[in-house]
């Protein structure tokens, strides 16, 4: 069955007008688009000007070849982008919504790695689980496990049973209702020298859509997005479908 296009009224459809009237509407929208572009430029500048936090912990991870430190994950570059990929111990595979992000990053990293930015995905699943899933999905990026460390806890993307039992977790800079042990995010770090690492930025929930080129293309069409990709989180090919509603309710 074809998907319902969310941006088109099934009964009346869009208005049909003359080319002249269409041009008037398009020019009005263009002014909004230009204002959004200028606003995005200001937000991007403000993001780059954010203060930094020096990391006091020496984070360690487990990779396919053994333990590695956060310092090593920079791979000789000064900047590091981390994808907090939802994949917990006991899950058979990673979250489907995170897989969409990973698909985009797999291509994009080949360009930004030439601009002093390394990339790594981090999850709490075991290295063996991660490696099997990474190979099945055809991704070549580095992916490490934070199962035995505090990294995911410190960056508020994994939640202990006691936190879930309370009904609230700290995510996206606020206390939110949650019934799921993992949520997605992106974090950026800067390395000045050996062991001298700074946290510069993190974004969560719909902030991750900055990287979703497919969704941005769909936004140009009358039908728009069939549904937000996070509404599809963990559905079909991800963790059990019962987690889908829990994720969607939080990340909107």
């Amino acid at each position: 069955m074809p998907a319902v296009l969310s941006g088109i009224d099934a009964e009346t459809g869009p208005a049909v007008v003359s080319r002249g009237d269409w041009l008037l509407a398009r020019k009005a929208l263009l002014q909004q688009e230009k204002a959004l572009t200028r606003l995005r430029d200001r937000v991007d500048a403000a993001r780059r000007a954010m203060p930094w936090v020096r990391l006091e912990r020496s984070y360690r991870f487990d990779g396919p070849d053994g333990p590695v430190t956060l310092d090593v994950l920079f791979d000789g570059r000064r900047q590091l982008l981390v994808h907090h990929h939802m994949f917990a111990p006991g899950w058979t595979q990673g979250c489907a919504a995170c897989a969409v992000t990973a698909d985009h990053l797999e291509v994009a990293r080949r360009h930004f790695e030439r601009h002093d930015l390394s990339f790594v995905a981090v999850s709490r699943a075991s290295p063996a689980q991660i490696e099997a899933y990474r190979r099945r999905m055809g991704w070549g990026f580095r992916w490490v496990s934070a199962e035995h460390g505090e990294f995911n806890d410190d960056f508020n993307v994994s939640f202990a049973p006691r936190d879930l039992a309370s009904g609230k977790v700290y995510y996206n800079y606020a206390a939110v209702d949650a019934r799921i042990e993992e949520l997605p995010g992106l974090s950026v770090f800067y390395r000045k020298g050996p062991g001298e690492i700074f946290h510069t930025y993190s974004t969560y929930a719909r902030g991750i859509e900055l990287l979703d080129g497919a969704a941005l293309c769909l936004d140009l069409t009358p039908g728009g997005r069939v549904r937000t990709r996070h509404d599809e989180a963990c559905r079909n090919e991800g963790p059990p479908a019962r987690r889908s509603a829990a994720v969607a309710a939080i990340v909107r």
Side-chain angles (χ1 to χ4, degrees), residues 42-64:
R42 293 195 295 273
V43 171
D44 289 344
R47 184 185 300 114
R48 291 191 296 270
M50 279 279 294
W52 298 357
V53 177
R54 185 188 300 271
L55 296 188
E56 301 299 333
R57 295 187 191 272
S58 180
Y59 293 106
R60 297 182 67 84
F61 307 88
D62 294 312

Side-chain angles (χ1 to χ4, degrees), residues 86-148:
M86 294 170 60
F87 192 4
W91 292 10
T92 57
Q93 54 194 22
C95 167
C98 293
V100 175
T101 301
D103 281 343
H104 285 79
L105 286 165
E106 171 66 7
V107 176
R109 71 183 181 89
R110 300 169 190 172
H111 300 281
F112 62 60
E113 286 177 348
R114 296 199 297 267
H115 295 272
D116 205 23
L117 176 62
S118 289
F119 171 71
V120 66
V122 176
S123 301
R124 286 195 308 118
S126 71
Q129 287 178 293
I130 288 172
E131 189 64 10
Y133 181 56
R134 184 187 68 80
R135 289 181 180 276
R136 180 164 69 82
M137 298 299 286
W139 297 322
F141 54 74
R142 175 178 264 173
W143 194 348
V144 296
S145 171
E147 182 179 10
H148 301 299

Side-chain angles (χ1 to χ4, degrees), residues 16-37:
V16 178
V17 299
S18 68
R19 174 62 64 180
D21 287 343
W22 179 90
L23 190 58
L24 289 174
R26 179 64 188 97
K27 287 183 175 180
L29 178 61
L30 179 60
Q31 295 308 306
Q32 296 182 59
E33 291 174 335
K34 287 183 174 181
L36 179 59
T37 297

